[in-house]
Amino acid sequence: MFIEQGIHSENKFWKYLLGSVFIIGASLFGQIPLLIGVMLKTFGQGKIMPESENDLMDLFDSNVALFLIMISFVFAVGGIYLVVRYLHKQSMLSIITSRKKTDWNRIWFSFTIWALLSIVSTLVMYFDNPKDFVFNFQAVPFLGLLVIAALMIPIQTTCEELVFRGYLMQGFGNLAQNKWFPLIMTSVIFGSMHIFNPEVQKMGYIILIYYIGTGLMLGIMTLMDEGMELSLGFHAANNLIGALLVTSDWSALQTHSIFKDVSEPSAGIDVIVPVVVIYPILLWVFSKKYQWKNWKEKLTGNLTTQHE
């Protein structure tokens, strides 16, 4: 059982708080290259210090900015490894899956489904409202984006999954000794982490329904499938395809993507539909393919320590 792999009598919740602080510290340490770049740009060229993410994106070429921002996740993954291995005395595999090894077929299956759906839905929106988009493709910058995004975005999304669907899922399981509390807490925290994104400032807090709903769906995937391979594939596809296909002046990451959204953003039915329609269908597809059973027990049941 996936979540039970972190349930040990000596795995007190304070260790997860301490570990979280260490991981955050590792991530902040990984921002030093970005800070150096900002200082060189501002003091060396007489520019103003950036006060927002948009200012930061304006300071660098978007490919350079993307690379510098993503470096912090490399250090965060290193921090996760050290915490899991030496503070909790667990293997990295134990916070990824209950299987004997990571199931890459699951990762690729989830990635492919969501990537195809993202591409199709983007093209539908483009042809339905072409005035809302500008064809933004430039071969050389796009190839640079493709290389950087393919290398760095999966590290970013894997880092977030390791933290929320792995480390903290097991941590809150240790605290509550049940499954519903870790599911809810990791989903709410995951969604709330996006509260400072430019999208939230532009469209309002209602978009947090989408972020929290996405976290809930990924948590359900992880608990039902006894591992987070499906969530790894989904998250990587979501961020990677999004970065390559569409950018905008108000998005968190502005890239040399194929299209640029020039419409005035608003949060409406498009925020609700993925959560209440698309995600349940996706879960149904996975449940049929991987023969998920005992939904109530896997999502709300109690936990026992391994020695018991």
Side-chain angles (χ1 to χ4, degrees):
M1 301 291 284
F2 171 71
I3 196 170
E4 283 87 346
Q5 291 178 156
I7 308 300
H8 302 279
S9 56
E10 67 275 13
N11 239 356
K12 304 300 183 183
F13 188 66
W14 66 264
K15 288 188 175 182
Y16 288 92
L17 296 176
L18 179 62
S20 297
V21 171
F22 184 85
I23 293 167
I24 292 171
S27 176
L28 292 175
F29 185 80
Q31 292 181 10
I32 290 177
L34 175 61
L35 179 60
I36 292 173
V38 169
M39 292 176 64
L40 290 174
K41 281 283 187 178
T42 53
F43 299 125
Q45 300 181 16
K47 295 184 178 180
I48 301 174
M49 284 288 288
E51 297 180 355
S52 65
E53 288 191 37
N54 284 339
D55 291 341
L56 182 63
M57 298 301 290
D58 289 339
L59 198 61
F60 300 97
D61 173 79
S62 63
N63 284 345
V64 175
L66 178 64
F67 180 76
L68 291 174
I69 290 170
M70 291 296 163
I71 288 176
S72 65
F73 292 99
V74 177
F75 284 83
V77 170
I80 295 168
Y81 172 79
L82 293 175
V83 165
V84 171
R85 180 68 180 86
Y86 296 105
L87 181 61
H88 297 278
K89 305 296 192 295
Q90 293 177 233
S91 66
M92 283 294 287
L93 185 66
S94 70
I95 69 165
I96 296 173
T97 185
S98 61
R99 287 167 272 277
K100 293 182 179 180
K101 60 181 181 179
T102 303
D103 189 341
W104 284 92
N105 288 332
R106 275 175 155 84
I107 294 175
W108 284 114
F109 180 71
S110 179
F111 180 94
T112 302
I113 282 183
W114 195 248
L116 289 175
L117 185 58
S118 299
I119 292 170
V120 170
S121 62
T122 299
L123 291 176
V124 168
M125 288 189 295
Y126 173 72
F127 288 112
D128 187 47
N129 295 289
K131 66 180 185 305
D132 290 342
F133 296 88
V134 172
F135 189 66
N136 192 54
F137 178 77
Q138 300 177 62
V140 174
F142 179 80
L143 288 175
L145 168 65
L146 180 61
V147 172
I148 293 170
L151 288 174
M152 304 301 289
I153 287 181
I155 296 176
Q156 176 235 331
T157 56
T158 297
C159 176
E160 293 183 4
E161 290 307 302
L162 288 172
V163 169
F164 291 101
R165 258 61 65 180
Y167 186 67
L168 290 181
M169 184 76 80
Q170 293 183 0
F172 284 117
N174 270 283
L175 177 66
Q177 295 296 306
N178 62 44
K179 298 175 183 177
W180 66 265
F181 185 76
L183 175 60
I184 297 300
M185 286 299 295
T186 55
S187 303
V188 171
I189 296 173
F190 175 77
S192 300
M193 290 289 288
H194 296 81
I195 198 168
F196 297 111
N197 280 18
E199 295 94 332
V200 177
Q201 300 172 21
K202 195 74 174 179
M203 292 184 272
Y205 292 113
I206 189 174
I207 198 175
L208 291 178
I209 294 174
Y210 169 76
Y211 291 124
I212 294 174
T214 300
L216 183 63
M217 188 265 299
L218 294 172
I220 292 173
M221 280 184 189
T222 299
L223 292 180
M224 290 304 303
D225 202 50
E226 299 293 354
M228 64 182 193
E229 289 97 335
L230 296 177
S231 68
L232 283 170
F234 173 95
H235 203 160
N238 186 72
N239 288 27
L240 179 59
I241 300 304
L244 294 175
L245 280 185
V246 183
T247 190
S248 67
D249 290 333
W250 43 266
S251 59
L253 291 178
Q254 296 167 31
T255 64
H256 292 293
S257 58
I258 296 175
F259 298 107
K260 183 174 183 178
D261 185 347
V262 294
S263 65
E264 184 62 27
S266 62
I269 191 75
D270 54 327
V271 172
I272 307 298
V273 168
V275 176
V276 301
V277 178
I278 298 175
Y279 290 170
I281 293 174
L282 189 63
L283 290 172
W284 178 81
V285 170
F286 289 143
S287 72
K288 292 301 180 183
K289 180 172 177 59
Y290 298 112
Q291 300 180 345
W292 293 348
K293 297 178 181 179
N294 303 321
W295 287 70
K296 183 177 179 181
E297 170 61 26
K298 287 190 173 183
L299 297 181
T300 65
N302 293 324
L303 300 173
T304 56
T305 57
Q306 284 192 352
H307 71 269
E308 292 174 337

Short mmCIF file of all heavy atoms in Angstrom, two decimals, residues 104-121 221 229-238 240-241 282 285-286 289-290:
data_model
loop_
_atom_site.label_atom_id
_atom_site.label_comp_id
_atom_site.label_asym_id
_atom_site.label_seq_id
_atom_site.Cartn_x
_atom_site.Cartn_y
_atom_site.Cartn_z
N TRP A 104 7.10 3.02 -15.77
CA TRP A 104 7.21 4.07 -16.79
C TRP A 104 6.09 3.98 -17.82
O TRP A 104 5.74 4.98 -18.44
CB TRP A 104 8.57 3.98 -17.47
CG TRP A 104 9.65 4.55 -16.61
CD1 TRP A 104 10.44 3.88 -15.73
CD2 TRP A 104 10.02 5.93 -16.52
NE1 TRP A 104 11.30 4.75 -15.10
CE2 TRP A 104 11.07 6.01 -15.57
CE3 TRP A 104 9.59 7.10 -17.15
CZ2 TRP A 104 11.68 7.22 -15.23
CZ3 TRP A 104 10.19 8.29 -16.82
CH2 TRP A 104 11.21 8.35 -15.88
N ASN A 105 5.52 2.79 -18.00
CA ASN A 105 4.38 2.67 -18.92
C ASN A 105 3.20 3.49 -18.43
O ASN A 105 2.49 4.11 -19.23
CB ASN A 105 3.98 1.20 -19.08
CG ASN A 105 4.98 0.41 -19.89
OD1 ASN A 105 5.67 0.96 -20.75
ND2 ASN A 105 5.08 -0.88 -19.61
N ARG A 106 2.99 3.51 -17.12
CA ARG A 106 1.92 4.33 -16.55
C ARG A 106 2.20 5.81 -16.77
O ARG A 106 1.30 6.59 -17.11
CB ARG A 106 1.78 4.03 -15.05
CG ARG A 106 0.90 2.83 -14.71
CD ARG A 106 0.94 2.56 -13.21
NE ARG A 106 -0.23 1.87 -12.73
CZ ARG A 106 -0.42 0.56 -12.77
NH1 ARG A 106 0.53 -0.21 -13.30
NH2 ARG A 106 -1.52 0.01 -12.28
N ILE A 107 3.43 6.21 -16.55
CA ILE A 107 3.80 7.62 -16.74
C ILE A 107 3.55 8.05 -18.18
O ILE A 107 2.92 9.09 -18.44
CB ILE A 107 5.28 7.85 -16.36
CG1 ILE A 107 5.49 7.62 -14.86
CG2 ILE A 107 5.72 9.27 -16.75
CD1 ILE A 107 6.94 7.70 -14.42
N TRP A 108 4.01 7.24 -19.13
CA TRP A 108 3.86 7.59 -20.54
C TRP A 108 2.40 7.54 -21.00
O TRP A 108 1.99 8.35 -21.83
CB TRP A 108 4.73 6.69 -21.42
CG TRP A 108 6.17 7.06 -21.38
CD1 TRP A 108 7.20 6.32 -20.88
CD2 TRP A 108 6.76 8.28 -21.86
NE1 TRP A 108 8.39 7.00 -21.01
CE2 TRP A 108 8.15 8.20 -21.61
CE3 TRP A 108 6.25 9.43 -22.46
CZ2 TRP A 108 9.03 9.22 -21.94
CZ3 TRP A 108 7.13 10.44 -22.80
CH2 TRP A 108 8.49 10.34 -22.54
N PHE A 109 1.64 6.61 -20.46
CA PHE A 109 0.22 6.53 -20.81
C PHE A 109 -0.52 7.79 -20.37
O PHE A 109 -1.26 8.41 -21.15
CB PHE A 109 -0.41 5.30 -20.18
CG PHE A 109 -1.88 5.14 -20.50
CD1 PHE A 109 -2.30 4.79 -21.78
CD2 PHE A 109 -2.84 5.35 -19.53
CE1 PHE A 109 -3.65 4.65 -22.08
CE2 PHE A 109 -4.20 5.23 -19.81
CZ PHE A 109 -4.60 4.87 -21.10
N SER A 110 -0.30 8.18 -19.12
CA SER A 110 -0.94 9.39 -18.59
C SER A 110 -0.47 10.63 -19.35
O SER A 110 -1.27 11.51 -19.70
CB SER A 110 -0.63 9.52 -17.10
OG SER A 110 -1.21 10.68 -16.56
N PHE A 111 0.85 10.71 -19.60
CA PHE A 111 1.40 11.84 -20.33
C PHE A 111 0.77 11.95 -21.71
O PHE A 111 0.36 13.04 -22.14
CB PHE A 111 2.92 11.68 -20.47
CG PHE A 111 3.60 12.80 -21.21
CD1 PHE A 111 4.14 13.87 -20.52
CD2 PHE A 111 3.69 12.79 -22.60
CE1 PHE A 111 4.77 14.92 -21.20
CE2 PHE A 111 4.31 13.83 -23.28
CZ PHE A 111 4.84 14.89 -22.58
N THR A 112 0.67 10.84 -22.42
CA THR A 112 0.16 10.86 -23.80
C THR A 112 -1.29 11.28 -23.85
O THR A 112 -1.68 12.10 -24.70
CB THR A 112 0.33 9.46 -24.44
OG1 THR A 112 1.72 9.09 -24.41
CG2 THR A 112 -0.17 9.46 -25.87
N ILE A 113 -2.11 10.73 -22.96
CA ILE A 113 -3.53 11.08 -22.95
C ILE A 113 -3.71 12.57 -22.73
O ILE A 113 -4.46 13.25 -23.46
CB ILE A 113 -4.28 10.28 -21.86
CG1 ILE A 113 -4.53 8.85 -22.34
CG2 ILE A 113 -5.62 10.94 -21.52
CD1 ILE A 113 -5.33 8.02 -21.37
N TRP A 114 -3.05 13.11 -21.70
CA TRP A 114 -3.27 14.53 -21.38
C TRP A 114 -2.62 15.45 -22.41
O TRP A 114 -3.14 16.52 -22.70
CB TRP A 114 -2.80 14.86 -19.98
CG TRP A 114 -3.34 16.17 -19.50
CD1 TRP A 114 -2.65 17.31 -19.26
CD2 TRP A 114 -4.72 16.48 -19.26
NE1 TRP A 114 -3.50 18.33 -18.87
CE2 TRP A 114 -4.78 17.83 -18.86
CE3 TRP A 114 -5.91 15.74 -19.33
CZ2 TRP A 114 -5.98 18.46 -18.54
CZ3 TRP A 114 -7.10 16.37 -19.01
CH2 TRP A 114 -7.13 17.71 -18.63
N ALA A 115 -1.49 15.04 -22.96
CA ALA A 115 -0.85 15.84 -24.00
C ALA A 115 -1.74 15.95 -25.23
O ALA A 115 -1.93 17.04 -25.78
CB ALA A 115 0.51 15.24 -24.37
N LEU A 116 -2.28 14.82 -25.67
CA LEU A 116 -3.16 14.83 -26.84
C LEU A 116 -4.41 15.67 -26.58
O LEU A 116 -4.84 16.45 -27.44
CB LEU A 116 -3.55 13.40 -27.21
CG LEU A 116 -2.43 12.53 -27.81
CD1 LEU A 116 -2.92 11.10 -28.01
CD2 LEU A 116 -1.94 13.11 -29.13
N LEU A 117 -5.00 15.51 -25.40
CA LEU A 117 -6.20 16.27 -25.07
C LEU A 117 -5.89 17.77 -25.02
O LEU A 117 -6.69 18.59 -25.48
CB LEU A 117 -6.78 15.80 -23.73
CG LEU A 117 -8.11 16.42 -23.31
CD1 LEU A 117 -9.19 16.15 -24.36
CD2 LEU A 117 -8.55 15.86 -21.96
N SER A 118 -4.73 18.12 -24.48
CA SER A 118 -4.34 19.53 -24.40
C SER A 118 -4.13 20.13 -25.79
O SER A 118 -4.56 21.26 -26.06
CB SER A 118 -3.04 19.68 -23.58
OG SER A 118 -3.23 19.22 -22.26
N ILE A 119 -3.49 19.37 -26.66
CA ILE A 119 -3.25 19.85 -28.03
C ILE A 119 -4.56 20.03 -28.78
O ILE A 119 -4.80 21.06 -29.42
CB ILE A 119 -2.32 18.87 -28.78
CG1 ILE A 119 -0.92 18.89 -28.17
CG2 ILE A 119 -2.26 19.22 -30.26
CD1 ILE A 119 -0.01 17.79 -28.68
N VAL A 120 -5.43 19.03 -28.69
CA VAL A 120 -6.72 19.09 -29.39
C VAL A 120 -7.56 20.25 -28.87
O VAL A 120 -8.14 21.03 -29.65
CB VAL A 120 -7.48 17.76 -29.25
CG1 VAL A 120 -8.91 17.90 -29.76
CG2 VAL A 120 -6.76 16.65 -30.01
N SER A 121 -7.65 20.40 -27.56
CA SER A 121 -8.48 21.48 -26.98
C SER A 121 -7.94 22.85 -27.35
O SER A 121 -8.71 23.79 -27.62
CB SER A 121 -8.57 21.33 -25.46
OG SER A 121 -7.29 21.43 -24.87
N MET A 221 -5.76 9.95 -8.06
CA MET A 221 -4.96 9.06 -8.91
C MET A 221 -3.94 8.29 -8.09
O MET A 221 -3.79 7.07 -8.21
CB MET A 221 -4.21 9.88 -9.96
CG MET A 221 -4.97 10.32 -11.16
SD MET A 221 -3.77 11.15 -12.25
CE MET A 221 -4.87 11.84 -13.47
N GLU A 229 2.76 7.44 -10.42
CA GLU A 229 3.19 7.46 -11.81
C GLU A 229 2.21 8.20 -12.72
O GLU A 229 2.61 8.96 -13.60
CB GLU A 229 3.39 6.03 -12.33
CG GLU A 229 4.59 5.32 -11.75
CD GLU A 229 4.24 4.41 -10.59
OE1 GLU A 229 3.20 4.67 -9.95
OE2 GLU A 229 4.97 3.45 -10.33
N LEU A 230 0.91 7.97 -12.51
CA LEU A 230 -0.09 8.63 -13.36
C LEU A 230 -0.08 10.15 -13.16
O LEU A 230 -0.22 10.92 -14.11
CB LEU A 230 -1.48 8.07 -13.08
CG LEU A 230 -1.69 6.59 -13.41
CD1 LEU A 230 -3.10 6.15 -13.02
CD2 LEU A 230 -1.46 6.32 -14.90
N SER A 231 0.07 10.57 -11.91
CA SER A 231 0.12 12.01 -11.65
C SER A 231 1.40 12.63 -12.20
O SER A 231 1.40 13.77 -12.66
CB SER A 231 -0.01 12.29 -10.14
OG SER A 231 1.12 11.84 -9.43
N LEU A 232 2.50 11.88 -12.19
CA LEU A 232 3.74 12.36 -12.78
C LEU A 232 3.56 12.63 -14.27
O LEU A 232 3.98 13.67 -14.79
CB LEU A 232 4.86 11.34 -12.58
CG LEU A 232 5.50 11.25 -11.19
CD1 LEU A 232 6.40 10.02 -11.09
CD2 LEU A 232 6.29 12.52 -10.88
N GLY A 233 2.94 11.68 -14.97
CA GLY A 233 2.72 11.84 -16.41
C GLY A 233 1.79 12.99 -16.73
O GLY A 233 2.05 13.79 -17.63
N PHE A 234 0.68 13.07 -15.99
CA PHE A 234 -0.30 14.14 -16.21
C PHE A 234 0.34 15.51 -16.00
O PHE A 234 0.20 16.41 -16.84
CB PHE A 234 -1.48 13.97 -15.26
CG PHE A 234 -2.45 15.12 -15.29
CD1 PHE A 234 -3.58 15.06 -16.11
CD2 PHE A 234 -2.25 16.26 -14.52
CE1 PHE A 234 -4.47 16.13 -16.15
CE2 PHE A 234 -3.13 17.32 -14.56
CZ PHE A 234 -4.25 17.26 -15.38
N HIS A 235 1.00 15.68 -14.87
CA HIS A 235 1.56 16.99 -14.51
C HIS A 235 2.61 17.43 -15.51
O HIS A 235 2.66 18.60 -15.92
CB HIS A 235 2.15 16.91 -13.10
CG HIS A 235 2.24 18.23 -12.41
ND1 HIS A 235 2.35 18.36 -11.04
CD2 HIS A 235 2.26 19.50 -12.89
CE1 HIS A 235 2.41 19.64 -10.72
NE2 HIS A 235 2.37 20.36 -11.84
N ALA A 236 3.47 16.50 -15.94
CA ALA A 236 4.50 16.84 -16.93
C ALA A 236 3.87 17.26 -18.25
O ALA A 236 4.30 18.25 -18.87
CB ALA A 236 5.44 15.65 -17.14
N ALA A 237 2.86 16.53 -18.70
CA ALA A 237 2.18 16.87 -19.95
C ALA A 237 1.49 18.22 -19.84
O ALA A 237 1.56 19.05 -20.76
CB ALA A 237 1.17 15.79 -20.31
N ASN A 238 0.82 18.47 -18.73
CA ASN A 238 0.08 19.71 -18.54
C ASN A 238 1.00 20.93 -18.65
O ASN A 238 0.70 21.89 -19.38
CB ASN A 238 -0.60 19.69 -17.18
CG ASN A 238 -1.51 20.87 -16.96
OD1 ASN A 238 -2.59 20.96 -17.55
ND2 ASN A 238 -1.10 21.79 -16.12
N LEU A 240 4.33 21.02 -19.70
CA LEU A 240 5.19 21.04 -20.88
C LEU A 240 4.41 21.46 -22.12
O LEU A 240 4.85 22.37 -22.86
CB LEU A 240 5.81 19.66 -21.10
CG LEU A 240 6.72 19.51 -22.32
CD1 LEU A 240 7.88 20.50 -22.25
CD2 LEU A 240 7.24 18.09 -22.44
N ILE A 241 3.28 20.84 -22.38
CA ILE A 241 2.49 21.18 -23.56
C ILE A 241 1.98 22.61 -23.46
O ILE A 241 1.95 23.36 -24.45
CB ILE A 241 1.32 20.19 -23.74
CG1 ILE A 241 1.85 18.77 -23.91
CG2 ILE A 241 0.48 20.58 -24.95
CD1 ILE A 241 2.83 18.59 -25.05
N LEU A 282 -11.42 11.40 -16.97
CA LEU A 282 -10.05 10.91 -16.97
C LEU A 282 -9.86 9.84 -15.89
O LEU A 282 -9.24 8.79 -16.13
CB LEU A 282 -9.08 12.07 -16.74
CG LEU A 282 -7.59 11.76 -16.90
CD1 LEU A 282 -7.28 11.35 -18.33
CD2 LEU A 282 -6.76 12.98 -16.50
N VAL A 285 -11.38 6.62 -17.07
CA VAL A 285 -10.52 5.93 -18.04
C VAL A 285 -9.42 5.15 -17.31
O VAL A 285 -9.17 3.97 -17.59
CB VAL A 285 -9.90 6.93 -19.04
CG1 VAL A 285 -8.83 6.25 -19.89
CG2 VAL A 285 -10.98 7.52 -19.93
N PHE A 286 -8.77 5.81 -16.37
CA PHE A 286 -7.71 5.14 -15.62
C PHE A 286 -8.26 3.98 -14.80
O PHE A 286 -7.61 2.93 -14.68
CB PHE A 286 -7.00 6.13 -14.71
CG PHE A 286 -6.12 7.13 -15.43
CD1 PHE A 286 -6.02 8.44 -14.99
CD2 PHE A 286 -5.38 6.75 -16.54
CE1 PHE A 286 -5.21 9.35 -15.64
CE2 PHE A 286 -4.56 7.66 -17.21
CZ PHE A 286 -4.49 8.96 -16.75
N LYS A 289 -8.78 1.01 -17.10
CA LYS A 289 -7.53 0.43 -17.59
C LYS A 289 -6.78 -0.32 -16.49
O LYS A 289 -6.24 -1.41 -16.71
CB LYS A 289 -6.63 1.51 -18.18
CG LYS A 289 -5.29 0.95 -18.72
CD LYS A 289 -4.51 1.97 -19.47
CE LYS A 289 -3.15 1.42 -19.93
NZ LYS A 289 -3.27 0.24 -20.81
N TYR A 290 -6.76 0.27 -15.29
CA TYR A 290 -5.97 -0.32 -14.21
C TYR A 290 -6.83 -1.03 -13.15
O TYR A 290 -6.31 -1.39 -12.10
CB TYR A 290 -5.10 0.77 -13.56
CG TYR A 290 -4.12 1.35 -14.55
CD1 TYR A 290 -4.25 2.67 -15.00
CD2 TYR A 290 -3.08 0.58 -15.08
CE1 TYR A 290 -3.36 3.20 -15.93
CE2 TYR A 290 -2.19 1.11 -16.01
CZ TYR A 290 -2.34 2.42 -16.43
OH TYR A 290 -1.46 2.94 -17.35
#
